[in-house]
C-alpha cells in the first residue's frame, strides 16, 4: 500500500487553495471563513464541481467526448494522477483540469463520509448535465417548459444545496431536520442558478447556450434571438421581468432555510451568495444592458452586502426587503406581469 507523506499533502493542499482563488471571485472568500472542520472538504467539493462545470461549459468539446467524460466523472475522483487538457485554450478554468491530480489527491484525503457525499452529488449532477447536453445537441429549444428549466437548475445547483446541507449535518454544524426539507435546500441552489442564468443571458447567447424556457420567452417574442433585436426592447424587458418574477418565488424558501442555521460560519457562507443574488436580480430587473453586455454589482455594494447579511437574520431579511422594494419601485404598469410582480415583492417585504 502507498505510504502518504506529509510533503505531498502540503503541496497538493496548497495547490487546491491556489485553484480556489483562481476559479472563484466570491466563493473563495466565503469558503475560507468556514468552520475549520468543513473548510477544506467544502473547498474540495467546490473544485470537483468546478472541474465538472468546466467540461460542461466548453461548447468546443464534441458530444462523443463530452458525454462519457461527464457520466464517468465520479470515477475520475478515484483515478490517481488523472488530468485533462482537452479544453479550448480560452476556457476560463482550463488549468484546474490540467492539474486535476491535486484535487483527486485531496479528495482521497477526506473523511470517508464526506467523500461519499461529494461522490454521490457529482454522480447525479454529471448525469443531469450529460442528459441536458444530449438534448441541446438535437434541439435548439432544449429548455421548453418551466418544469424543464427547474430540472436543469436542480441538477446544476439544487444538488449543490443538498450536498452542502449533508456536509453541514455530517459535521454536526446544522440541524438534521434541514435534510428532511428538501424543497428548502433545493430552492437555495435554484435561486442562485436562476440569477446566474438571468444575468448571463448575453454571454450564454453568444456561446450558443439557451437556458431561458420557451414557455416564458414565447409569450414575448416569436424567436429566442428576437430578444436581442433593438426593435423588441420592450418585449425583452417584459421577458426579463417575468424571468425575475420566476426566480423571486424561491426567496421565501431561502429565508426559511437560512433561519434554520445556527452556526455562524455556516450561516455566513450560505447567506452571502443569496444576498448577492437578490442584489444582482434587482440590478438586472428591467435593465436593458443585460441583453447587450455582462452587468455586475459593484465592489462597494458587494462589501456592504457582506456586512449586512452576516450580522444576524434580521439584518439579512432587511437586505432582502430593501432590494424587493427597489424592484417594486421599478415595476411598471406597462408590464403584463405588473400585478404578479407587485404581489411577489410585497410578500418578500412583509416576510418576518
Ligand atoms: C460546493 C460551494 C448554500 C445550501 C462550481 C452554492 C454551474 C450558481 O451556469 O460557472 O456555468 O454559468 O457561474 C459550490 C446552497 C457548481 C450553488 C453551479 C459549487 C447553494 C457547479 C451554486 C459551485 C448552492 C455547477 C455558479 C450554483 O457557477 O455557472 C460549492 C446552499 C459549482 C450553490 C454550477 C453554479 C454556480 C452555481 P454557469 P457558474
Ligand atoms: Mn460555469
Ligand atoms: Mn455550467
Ligand atoms: Mn452562467
Ligand atoms: Mn458563469
Ligand atoms: Mn410565490
Amino acid at each position: 500500500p502507498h505510504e502518504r507523506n506529509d510533503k505531498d499533502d502540503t503541496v497538493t493542499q496548497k495547490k487546491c487553495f491556489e485553484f480556489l482563488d483562481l476559479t472563484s471571485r466570491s466563493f473563495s472568500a466565503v469558503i475560507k471563513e468556514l468552520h475549520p472542520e468543513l473548510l477544506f472538504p467544502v473547498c474540495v467539493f467546490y473544485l470537483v464541481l468546478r472541474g465538472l462545470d468546466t467540461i460542461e461549459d466548453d461548447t468546443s468539446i464534441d458530444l462523443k467526448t463530452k458525454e462519457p467524460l461527464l457520466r464517468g466523472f465520479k470515477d475520475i475522483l478515484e483515478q490517481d494522477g488523472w488530468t485533462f487538457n482537452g479544453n479550448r485554450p480560452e476556457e476560463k478554468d482550463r488549468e484546474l483540469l490540467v492539474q486535476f491530480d491535486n484535487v483527486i489527491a485531496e479528495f482521497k484525503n477526506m473523511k470517508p463520509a464526506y467523500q461519499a457525499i461529494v461522490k454521490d452529488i457529482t454522480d447525479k449532477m454529471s448525469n443531469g448535465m450529460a442528459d441536458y447536453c444530449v438534448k441541446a445537441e438535437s434541439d435548439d429549444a432544449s429548455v421548453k417548459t418551466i418544469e424543464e428549466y427547474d430540472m436543469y437548475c436542480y441538477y446544476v445547483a439544487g444538488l449543490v444545496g443538498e450536498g452542502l446541507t449533508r456536509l453541514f449535518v455530517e459535521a454536526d454544524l446544522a440541524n438534521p431536520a434541514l435534510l428532511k426539507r428538501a424543497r428548502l435546500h433545493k430552492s437555495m441552489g435554484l435561486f442562485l442558478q436562476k440569477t446566474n442564468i438571468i444575468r448571463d443571458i448575453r454571454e450564454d447567447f453568444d456561446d450558443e447556450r439557451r437556458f431561458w424556457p420557451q414557455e416564458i420567452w414565447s409569450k414575448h417574442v416569436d424567436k429566442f434571438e428576437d430578444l436581442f433585436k433593438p426593435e423588441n426592447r420592450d418585449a425583452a424587458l417584459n421577458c426579463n421581468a417575468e424571468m425575475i418574477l420566476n426566480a423571486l418565488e424561491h426567496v421565501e424558501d431561502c429565508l426559511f432555510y437560512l433561519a434554520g442555521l445556527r452556526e455562524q460560519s455556516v450561516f455566513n457562507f450560505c447567506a452571502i451568495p443569496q444576498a448577492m443574488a437578490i442584489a444582482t436580480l434587482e440590478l438586472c430587473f428591467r435593465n436593458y444592458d443585460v441583453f447587450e453586455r455582462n452587468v455586475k454589482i459593484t465592489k462597494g455594494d458587494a462589501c456592504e452586502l457582506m456586512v449586512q447579511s452576516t450580522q444576524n437574520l434580521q439584518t439579512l431579511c432587511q437586505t432582502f426587503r430593501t432590494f424587493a422594494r427597489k424592484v417594486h419601485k421599478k415595476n411598471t404598469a406597462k408590464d403584463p406581469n405588473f400585478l404578479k410582480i407587485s404581489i411577489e415583492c410585497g410578500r418578500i417585504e412583509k416576510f418576518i
Side-chain angles (χ1 to χ4, degrees), residues 10-23:
T10 339
V11 172
T12 54
Q13 221 180 68
K14 190 161 164 271
K15 272 283 178 192
C16 286
F17 280 117
E18 279 172 28
F19 278 116
L20 181 62
D21 285 332
L22 277 171
T23 59

Side-chain angles (χ1 to χ4, degrees), residues 24-260:
S24 86
R25 323 135 284 269
S26 42
F27 281 127
S28 160
V30 286
I31 291 174
K32 286 185 196 152
E33 298 295 327
L34 264 173
H35 189 286
E37 172 65 21
L38 277 187
L39 196 162
F40 205 58
V42 172
C43 173
V44 171
F45 188 26
Y46 173 82
L47 292 174
V48 166
L49 299 184
R50 182 52 70 202
L52 181 66
D53 185 51
T54 301
I55 295 168
E56 192 218 12
D57 287 359
D58 192 333
T59 45
S60 80
I61 302 175
D62 63 57
L63 195 62
K64 272 206 181 81
T65 311
K66 192 187 272 194
E67 194 190 347
L69 204 52
L70 291 174
R71 294 200 196 279
F73 208 77
K74 73 158 196 314
D75 298 316
I76 285 170
L77 298 180
E78 272 151 16
Q79 282 176 40
D80 286 323
W82 186 92
T83 60
F84 180 73
N85 67 1
N87 281 115
R88 54 189 165 191
E90 67 271 25
E91 194 59 43
K92 172 173 81 63
D93 300 319
R94 178 182 204 287
E95 196 56 25
L96 170 66
L97 288 170
V98 169
Q99 301 187 44
F100 205 69
D101 48 334
N102 296 289
V103 179
I104 294 170
E106 288 306 323
F107 171 80
K108 289 189 154 186
N109 262 347
M110 293 197 302
K111 285 181 186 165
Y114 296 158
Q115 283 188 37
I117 294 166
V118 171
K119 197 173 167 181
D120 179 48
I121 298 299
T122 300
D123 182 30
K124 289 174 180 156
M125 185 185 292
S126 65
N127 280 294
M129 283 173 165
D131 292 346
Y132 172 78
C133 284
V134 170
K135 203 154 66 132
E137 175 113 328
S138 65
D139 191 344
D140 254 9
S142 48
V143 184
K144 290 203 173 59
T145 62
I146 292 171
E147 196 184 326
E148 287 174 289
Y149 174 56
D150 280 12
M151 190 61 92
Y152 175 75
C153 293
Y154 166 73
Y155 280 120
V156 301
L159 280 168
V160 188
E162 182 195 316
L164 287 168
T165 307
R166 284 163 66 183
L167 288 174
F168 302 155
V169 170
E170 182 66 41
D172 237 332
L173 294 172
N175 189 334
L178 274 182
L179 278 181
K180 294 207 189 87
R181 310 196 60 183
R183 185 188 147 120
L184 301 189
H185 56 244
K186 188 180 146 190
S187 279
M188 289 287 285
L190 262 62
F191 186 60
L192 298 188
Q193 188 63 29
K194 287 182 174 183
T195 301
N196 183 287
I197 284 172
I198 289 163
R199 190 200 61 188
D200 290 351
I201 180 70
R202 179 76 224 189
E203 179 189 306
D204 289 335
F205 178 65
D206 291 341
D207 215 12
E208 289 170 14
R209 288 146 57 84
R210 300 173 177 197
F211 300 112
W212 289 24
Q214 187 174 28
E215 188 177 339
I216 290 182
W217 61 254
S218 65
K219 287 191 229 166
H220 305 276
V221 287
D222 294 331
K223 286 182 290 181
F224 184 75
E225 51 269 33
D226 292 346
L227 283 172
F228 301 89
K229 294 179 181 159
E231 63 267 33
N232 298 323
R233 190 190 168 97
D234 289 337
L237 286 174
N238 290 339
C239 186
N240 154 283
E242 187 166 346
M243 289 294 291
I244 290 171
L245 167 65
N246 171 281
L248 289 175
E249 284 166 13
H250 298 290
V251 165
E252 290 183 78
D253 284 346
C254 294
L255 292 174
F256 268 117
Y257 180 93
L258 292 163

